[in-house]
């Protein structure tokens, strides 16, 4: 079981780069759960002309948050900068998405994800993860994903 980590920069452990990368604060991450805090900004790729964070953005935010749970296992415990490896993740299935509302620029979104099941093959992990996203304590997104995450040789 992975020890809990606090206040890490999960973007160091994700394969995404701007403009796809959702820069989040991560107050908590362990081997089975994660919590991220994300502020919707006007320069985000997924912000529309009405000043809303789109459905695609909400799904991508959830997916990036979820992938931190399994993706972190491809790095050493003391590698807090994500320099020791490179991983690629794929959404193999979106099993459920329930979006209640679109947040606006300036809103802070809190996403919590929990590992449901996982199968490791050595170089690849297959997992199911569920996530919920809140705005001002209101549930706005409920998702369940299947992921494939694997190491890319450096």
């Amino acid at each position: 079981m992975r020890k809990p980590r606090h206040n890490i920069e999960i973007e160091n452990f994700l394969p995404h780069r701007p403009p796809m990368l959702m820069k989040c604060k991560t107050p908590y991450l362990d081997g089975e759960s994660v919590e991220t805090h994300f502020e919707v900004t006007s320069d985000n790729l997924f912000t529309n002309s009405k000043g809303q964070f789109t459905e695609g953005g909400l799904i991508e935010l959830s997916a990036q948050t979820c992938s931190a749970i399994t993706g972190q296992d491809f790095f050493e415990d003391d590698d807090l900068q994500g320099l020791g490896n490179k991983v690629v993740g794929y959404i193999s299935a979106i099993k459920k998405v329930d979006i209640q509302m679109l947040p606006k620029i300036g809103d802070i979104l809190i996403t919590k994800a929990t590992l449901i099941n996982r199968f490791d093959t050595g170089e690849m992990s297959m997992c199911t993860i569920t996530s919920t996203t809140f705005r001002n304590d209101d549930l706005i997104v409920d998702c369940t994903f299947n992921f494939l995450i694997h190491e890319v040789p450096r």
Side-chain angles (χ1 to χ4, degrees), residues 13-149:
F13 301 95
L14 300 176
H16 303 79
R17 294 297 167 254
M20 290 295 292
L21 180 65
M22 306 285 178
K23 188 160 176 68
C24 297
K25 294 180 181 177
T26 309
Y28 187 83
L29 172 64
D30 66 23
E32 296 180 354
S33 64
V34 63
E35 178 179 322
T36 62
H37 298 187
F38 172 76
E39 181 176 359
V40 178
T41 58
S42 61
D43 63 342
N44 187 284
L45 176 67
F46 294 104
T47 303
N48 67 23
S49 62
K50 297 178 185 176
Q52 298 170 312
F53 195 52
T54 64
E55 293 90 344
L58 290 167
I59 293 168
E60 183 63 27
L61 174 62
S62 294
Q64 287 185 29
T65 297
C66 288
S67 66
I69 295 171
T70 305
Q72 70 178 322
D73 290 337
F74 290 89
F75 298 86
E76 297 298 324
D77 286 340
D78 61 350
D79 182 4
L80 299 179
Q81 298 302 311
L83 301 174
N85 211 335
K86 186 173 180 184
V87 295
V88 175
Y90 310 93
I91 299 171
S92 60
I94 299 175
K95 298 175 79 170
K96 171 186 165 184
V97 175
D98 183 13
I99 298 174
Q100 298 296 315
M101 64 155 303
L102 299 179
K104 295 180 176 30
I105 293 170
D107 285 346
I108 304 294
L109 307 180
I110 297 174
T111 301
K112 299 177 182 184
T114 304
L115 180 68
I116 302 300
N117 62 50
R118 177 176 176 170
F119 178 74
D120 293 318
T121 65
E123 294 178 357
M124 182 178 291
S125 290
M126 296 173 276
C127 58
T128 301
I129 302 176
T130 185
S131 75
T132 50
T133 300
F134 300 86
R135 183 189 68 86
N136 299 330
D137 295 326
D138 294 324
L139 176 65
I140 63 169
V141 182
D142 186 12
C143 297
T144 304
F145 300 97
N146 286 350
F147 292 99
L148 297 174
I149 298 176

